[in-house]
Amino acid sequence: MRPSHLDPRSPFVLETHELGRRPGSMRTVQRTVAAPDELGSGMIGIPSGSDLELDLRLEAVMEGVLVTGSIRGEAVGECVRCLEKVVEPVDAPIQELYVYPERAQAAVTSGDDEDEDVRELEGDLVDLEPALRDSVVPTLPFRPLCRPDCPGLCSQCGARLADDPDHAHDLIDPRWAALGGLAGSDDEKRES
């Protein structure tokens, strides 16, 4: 057994010792943890340190430990149309197999290492954080909206169109703009 590099005190490191490599043995884990840094994209993500609820089942199988369950939290971001704050509930399913190190090594030796992203147990410890990221980030909206029919911002002045649905500008065709200037100077001559 190689030495473990994981910190068992980390909230994302799970202990599997009590499963005892007996296929079919199972235990559940329910805990609230602080979200790690940078859990999301540029437009929306779960703020660092906010609560994430983990509801997991760890089950011993022949190859290793299967972790299934859900991750719940709240993502915060900006509407892509009007830049207002968006708050989205997140309920991401997770299913990840952590293989025993000797199983992973046997697969490499036999040339059957088809999946390069195989996650291994480190001793009796499971590092949940990479699998958590892989589960949560794809569930976040690619283009978050404050509401489905958000009209966005005015392209002329940047006013929020949802606040003033009748917002409009008098647009003058640039080809006629010079004539508008002549009309204004003609009116000034008449007044003097």
Side-chain angles (χ1 to χ4, degrees):
M1 181 186 328
R2 63 185 179 163
S4 177
H5 299 292
L6 297 176
D7 182 0
R9 295 170 298 189
S10 167
F12 299 106
V13 173
L14 304 175
E15 175 68 52
T16 65
H17 179 73
E18 68 185 51
L19 298 177
R21 293 194 179 206
R22 293 181 312 271
S25 59
M26 181 201 66
R27 77 178 183 103
T28 59
V29 174
Q30 293 177 327
R31 63 172 71 157
T32 301
V33 298
D37 294 338
E38 299 176 16
L39 185 56
S41 65
M43 291 304 287
I44 192 164
I46 297 177
S48 177
S50 65
D51 286 349
L52 281 180
E53 295 175 26
L54 306 179
D55 187 7
L56 307 171
R57 184 174 79 182
L58 283 63
E59 184 177 359
V61 295
M62 291 296 290
E63 296 82 16
V65 175
L66 179 65
V67 177
T68 57
S70 65
I71 302 158
R72 287 181 299 283
E74 209 170 61
V76 178
E78 291 181 336
C79 176
V80 295
R81 293 184 187 159
C82 70
L83 304 178
E84 287 293 308
K85 183 177 179 178
V86 174
V87 178
E88 289 275 332
V90 174
D91 189 355
I94 184 170
Q95 181 173 4
E96 193 69 42
L97 176 64
Y98 292 83
V99 297
Y100 297 125
E102 63 275 7
R103 292 275 187 173
Q105 186 58 41
V108 169
T109 304
S110 69
D112 188 28
D113 58 339
E114 60 196 42
D115 189 7
E116 295 176 5
D117 294 331
V118 171
R119 301 193 199 282
E120 285 185 48
L121 284 151
E122 286 192 28
D124 289 328
L125 302 177
V126 166
D127 183 9
L128 190 64
E129 187 175 347
L132 177 135
R133 289 182 185 281
D134 291 349
S135 296
V136 169
V137 174
T139 65
L140 298 174
F142 182 67
R143 297 176 46 87
L145 297 172
C146 60
R147 63 181 209 219
D149 63 341
C150 176
L153 302 175
C154 174
S155 61
Q156 299 293 313
C157 66
R160 189 167 183 261
L161 297 175
D163 295 339
D164 184 10
D166 298 325
H167 180 82
H169 292 275
D170 293 331
L171 297 178
I172 300 174
D173 189 325
R175 296 172 289 186
W176 297 102
L179 290 177
L182 288 176
S185 64
D186 191 37
D187 291 339
E188 290 173 10
K189 287 180 186 174
R190 284 188 200 154
E191 289 177 5
S192 28

